[in-house]
Amino acid sequence: TRTVTGIFAVHGNVDSGGDMSVNGSFEKWLNEGRDRVRFLWNHNSMNPPIASIKDVREVGRDQLPAKVLEWAPDATGGVMVTRKYYENIPLSDWVFKAIDEGDVREMSYAYDVHLSQDVNDPDNPRHRRNLLEIELYDISDVNWGMNPATAGVKGLPANGTTFVQHSAMVESTVEEVF
């Protein structure tokens, strides 16, 4: 049906950029601004959306797919999106086909942090802040997400290596944008 549900944010585990979202961090802005969120390919806001968002909601640990918990055993919850890919639009068709074949498996999101808490954990120096209140702008299918525990396709997680190999490049790009 071209409708796909996946987890684009996994709460309770640290992503490759050192951030950790927490349960409830999306709640305020989903309730107040969800109609502004777009579903894009790889955060490319120069193109129109590739899919129509049907539902976005936070879920508890008990609603996370088993494969997400295998990748992120400390996960406390996440944010789920259901979207329907446009038909007869070349980029939408291409991304949907790549998802269907299992070649695109990760997701990401563009956001502003309205409230965060700095973390100083000598046992985990990569963990720099907890994201407590997040305003969401876009959800994207991506080749590599900052959090490889995301489940972009039918609840299946990323396979293979983590995004750590690419994080330095992504981190510098994110810092330039924000």
Side-chain angles (χ1 to χ4, degrees):
T1 62
R2 299 181 70 92
T3 300
V4 179
T5 298
I7 304 294
F8 69 87
V10 179
H11 299 322
N13 77 312
V14 180
D15 70 16
S16 297
D19 287 335
M20 182 176 73
S21 61
V22 299
N23 294 41
S25 56
F26 288 80
E27 185 175 346
K28 176 182 177 183
W29 293 95
L30 284 177
N31 291 334
E32 293 180 10
R34 185 231 171 277
D35 60 339
R36 294 195 68 211
V37 180
R38 303 295 181 261
F39 199 91
L40 307 175
W41 165 247
N42 217 34
H43 303 295
N44 186 347
S45 61
M46 300 302 286
N47 285 338
I50 61 168
S52 179
I53 296 173
K54 301 303 180 186
D55 185 42
V56 177
R57 61 189 169 90
E58 290 207 47
V59 297
R61 178 182 172 81
D62 60 326
Q63 292 179 280
L64 292 176
K67 294 287 187 179
V68 171
L69 295 173
E70 286 175 25
W71 190 274
D74 295 334
T76 58
V79 189
M80 181 181 291
V81 62
T82 299
R83 71 271 192 199
K84 184 175 182 180
Y85 290 84
Y86 302 132
E87 292 186 54
N88 302 316
I89 305 295
L91 183 56
S92 295
D93 290 339
W94 189 1
V95 173
F96 182 74
K97 179 67 173 171
I99 289 170
D100 196 43
E101 293 292 327
D103 295 323
V104 170
R105 295 179 288 261
E106 297 182 37
M107 299 177 76
S108 184
Y109 57 95
Y111 60 99
D112 275 337
V113 178
H114 289 273
L115 185 62
S116 66
Q117 174 186 49
D118 290 339
V119 174
N120 184 9
D121 182 356
D123 294 331
N124 187 359
R126 189 174 56 108
H127 185 183
R128 297 180 303 188
R129 65 182 179 164
N130 292 332
L131 306 178
L132 305 175
E133 188 178 299
I134 299 169
E135 182 177 4
L136 185 61
Y137 290 103
D138 89 63
I139 305 165
S140 287
D141 290 313
V142 294
N143 287 318
W144 302 281
M146 275 298 242
N147 190 337
T150 61
V153 185
K154 304 170 192 161
L156 299 175
N159 291 328
T161 61
T162 69
F163 191 69
V164 171
Q165 298 160 334
H166 305 280
S167 67
M169 178 189 70
V170 172
E171 226 175 297
S172 67
T173 302
V174 169
E175 289 172 2
E176 286 177 24
V177 171
F178 296 102

